[in-house]
């Protein structure tokens, strides 16, 4: 039996940064490497798993894609992640490489620490942590501490004296990185990109390599094989929470909420998406994604909104026996009023 440790790459980054898009590219250019994929998503609709299973890569079949859906991977390390890894390692056909996509709200630190658990450490090592950044969102000030909703909350409650949850998480994900991918470079100009690079570099005291990408198109040779062994260096990558609670108080994600909206068929998807932009902007929805049933179309329409930017495309045919429906997962700050946002979206159908 091959006793060499299997390398595992952790891919993290805020909601909508382009993690799934980058992994889809990776699966398609990973050569003969057999990859096992562990995907973790915030929200009760497995959109990322569905997208990645649909990409048909021979080196990563549907059996090699494992979805962890019981909350953010950083909170379910003991109950979900460790047993999943253990089962994966018991398989007869060991993968050449394991890729883990965290949810956009996950802290990578507890996940990396899990690689020091004896059962895992003897078999697997963290090849590297890759943090994907939405360069356009950084340029737009999305991660600066003047996020409207959080400011409003702070005015109401002056005990909220630390940075916004979005900013903190952004920094925690950068702090843990071995490689930072400034993605979505097509959406900003060269000067803007220079400012984004400087801002991102200033948000971590470490000096990870920073590269640029469009549509997550980075060669597998750059993403895989970093050979860092990140689990041996977690002491230098502490999250805000770890620094503030050295007593080991567990963290949570109370600042964020998600819910799923189910609708019937949408006859005019162009008008629907246009109106959706208004709802997203008005209620400060951070992320919205899912599938739309367009009557008369054999394909389902995938909707991907990051802030008020929305992409749509027909991704695959509805399969025989699959119930056609419109399902959208909505993610926002805790202050977002689910009832109001739900009603606003339902009113568009
Ligand atoms: N313009 C542009 N859009 C991109 C780029 N990369 C990804 N996107 C789009 O951004 C949206 C979100 O991409 P995903 O890959 O789903 O992002 P993610 O980080 O996996 O999102 P979560 O898992 O929800 O956190 C999709 O509509 C992508 O098509 C890019 O480089 N440029």
């Amino acid at each position: 039996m091959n006793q060499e440790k299997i390398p595992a790459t952790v891919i993290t980054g805020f909601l909508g940064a382009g993690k799934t898009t980058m992994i889809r590219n990776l699966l398609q250019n990973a050569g003969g490497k057999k990859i096992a994929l562990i995907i973790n998503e915030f929200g009760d609709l497995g959109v990322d798993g569905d997208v990645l299973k649909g990409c048909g890569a021979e080196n990563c079949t549907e059996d090699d894609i494992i979805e962890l859906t019981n909350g953010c991977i950083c909170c379910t390390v003991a109950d979900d992640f460790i047993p999943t890894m253990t089962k994966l390692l018991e398989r007869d056909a060991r993968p050449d490489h394991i890729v883990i996509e965290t949810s956009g709200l996950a802290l990578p630190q507890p996940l990396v620490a899990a690689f020091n658990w004896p059962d895992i450490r003897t078999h697997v090592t963290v090849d590297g942590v890759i943090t994907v950044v939405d360069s356009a969102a950084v340029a737009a000030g999305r991660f600066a501490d003047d996020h409207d909703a959080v400011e409003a909350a702070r005015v109401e409650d002056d005990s909220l004296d630390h940075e916004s949850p979005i900013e903190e998480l952004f920094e925690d994900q950068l702090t843990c990185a071995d490689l930072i991918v400034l993605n979505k470079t097509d959406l900003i100009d060269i000067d803007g990109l220079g400012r984004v690079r400087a801002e991102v570099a200033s948000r971590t005291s470490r000096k990870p390599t920073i590269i640029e990408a469009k549509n997550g198109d980075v060669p597998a040779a750059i993403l895989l094989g970093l050979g860092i062994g990140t689990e041996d260096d977690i002491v230098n990558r502490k999250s805000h929470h770890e620094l503030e609670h050295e007593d080991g108080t567990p963290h949570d994600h109370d600042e964020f909420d998600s819910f799923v909206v189910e609708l019937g068929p949408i006859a005019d998807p162009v008008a629907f998406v246009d109106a959706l932009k208004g709802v997203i902007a008005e209620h400060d929805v951070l992320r919205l994604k899912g599938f739309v049933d367009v009557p008369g179309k054999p394909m389902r329409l995938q909707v991907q909104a990051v802030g008020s930017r929305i992409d749509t495309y027909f991704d695959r045919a509805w399969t025989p026996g699959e119930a056609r429906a419109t399902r959208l997962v909505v993610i926002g700050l805790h202050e977002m009023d689910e009832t109001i946002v739900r009603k606003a979206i339902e009113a568009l159908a």
Side-chain angles (χ1 to χ4, degrees):
M1 191 177 136
N2 178 7
Q3 294 300 318
E4 265 185 37
K5 290 188 184 185
I6 303 173
T9 296
V10 175
I11 299 187
T12 189
F14 194 66
L15 296 166
K19 300 176 289 297
T20 307
T21 308
M22 191 172 84
I23 293 171
R24 200 167 54 187
N25 276 319
L26 171 66
L27 296 184
Q28 273 148 8
N29 79 82
K33 259 192 187 146
K34 186 162 174 54
I35 293 179
L37 195 54
I38 297 178
I39 308 168
N40 171 233
E41 207 167 347
F42 192 79
D44 301 328
L45 198 66
V47 178
D48 295 358
D50 206 287
V51 168
L52 290 166
K53 282 178 186 165
C55 77
E58 278 175 22
N59 53 338
C60 181
T61 63
E62 282 203 31
D63 276 353
D64 302 318
I65 301 180
I66 303 159
E67 291 173 87
L68 299 186
T69 51
N70 295 325
C72 272
I73 200 165
C74 50
C75 308
T76 57
V77 161
D79 296 335
D80 234 4
F81 176 68
I82 300 278
T84 299
M85 280 296 268
T86 311
K87 267 200 214 136
L88 183 60
L89 296 169
E90 283 166 359
R91 288 186 180 183
D92 288 339
R94 286 173 30 127
D96 298 321
H97 205 108
I98 299 170
V99 173
I100 303 163
E101 178 184 355
T102 76
S103 88
L105 299 179
L107 294 175
Q109 285 83 351
L111 174 62
V112 172
F115 285 81
N116 282 322
W117 285 40
D119 286 357
I120 305 296
R121 189 175 170 87
T122 41
H123 301 291
V124 191
T125 180
V126 181
D127 186 47
V129 174
I130 301 176
T131 302
V132 185
V133 170
D134 179 339
S135 304
V138 175
R142 194 72 184 158
F143 304 104
D145 67 359
D146 60 354
H147 193 274
D148 298 351
V150 176
E151 279 310 302
R154 255 194 236 175
V155 170
E156 301 231 321
D157 177 0
D158 45 338
S159 69
L160 296 175
D161 58 355
H162 51 268
E163 295 168 274
S164 82
I166 295 177
E167 183 178 23
E168 249 186 45
L169 190 58
F170 179 61
E171 289 181 355
D172 289 340
Q173 292 175 339
L174 292 175
T175 296
C176 206
D178 295 299
L179 174 69
I180 295 174
V181 179
L182 301 181
N183 192 36
K184 305 199 186 181
T185 55
D186 55 309
L187 298 179
I188 52 172
D189 63 20
I190 190 93
D191 292 344
L193 188 55
R195 285 192 291 275
V196 168
R197 184 180 271 271
E199 174 169 354
V200 164
S202 76
R203 297 295 190 120
T204 164
S205 54
R206 298 180 51 256
K207 300 245 174 292
T209 306
I210 302 180
I211 60 170
E212 293 158 15
K214 191 167 73 174
N215 288 316
D217 194 4
V218 183
I222 292 181
L223 299 178
L224 307 184
L226 295 175
I228 307 282
T230 316
E231 68 273 24
D232 291 334
D233 187 45
I234 46 175
V235 66
N236 292 315
R237 302 164 187 236
K238 287 193 172 155
S239 65
H240 283 82
H241 180 86
E242 287 168 309
L243 292 169
E244 283 161 25
H245 300 275
E246 305 231 27
D247 59 353
T249 307
H251 70 278
D252 56 43
H253 300 275
D254 287 354
E255 303 95 342
F256 300 95
D257 264 336
S258 83
F259 59 93
V260 174
V261 182
E262 295 218 21
L263 306 168
I266 304 290
D268 185 346
V270 175
F272 175 73
V273 165
D274 210 39
L276 207 49
K277 277 186 193 160
V279 175
I280 288 172
E282 186 180 344
H283 300 284
D284 210 12
V285 171
L286 295 172
R287 183 83 166 101
L288 180 152
K289 56 184 170 177
F291 307 102
V292 170
D293 170 19
V294 184
K297 296 279 182 194
M299 310 272 283
R300 63 179 194 181
L301 184 72
Q302 191 176 138
V303 175
Q304 290 275 355
V306 183
S308 58
R309 198 185 157 77
I310 305 191
D311 293 329
T312 58
Y313 58 99
F314 287 98
D315 72 334
R316 69 156 171 82
W318 296 100
T319 54
E322 184 180 22
R324 291 179 67 122
T326 299
R327 286 193 200 90
L328 302 166
V329 61
V330 182
I331 305 175
L333 283 166
H334 184 66
E335 293 79 17
M336 175 181 71
D337 188 323
E338 174 179 336
T339 311
I340 291 179
V341 178
R342 183 184 286 285
K343 276 199 181 134
I345 295 174
E346 284 169 353
L348 308 179

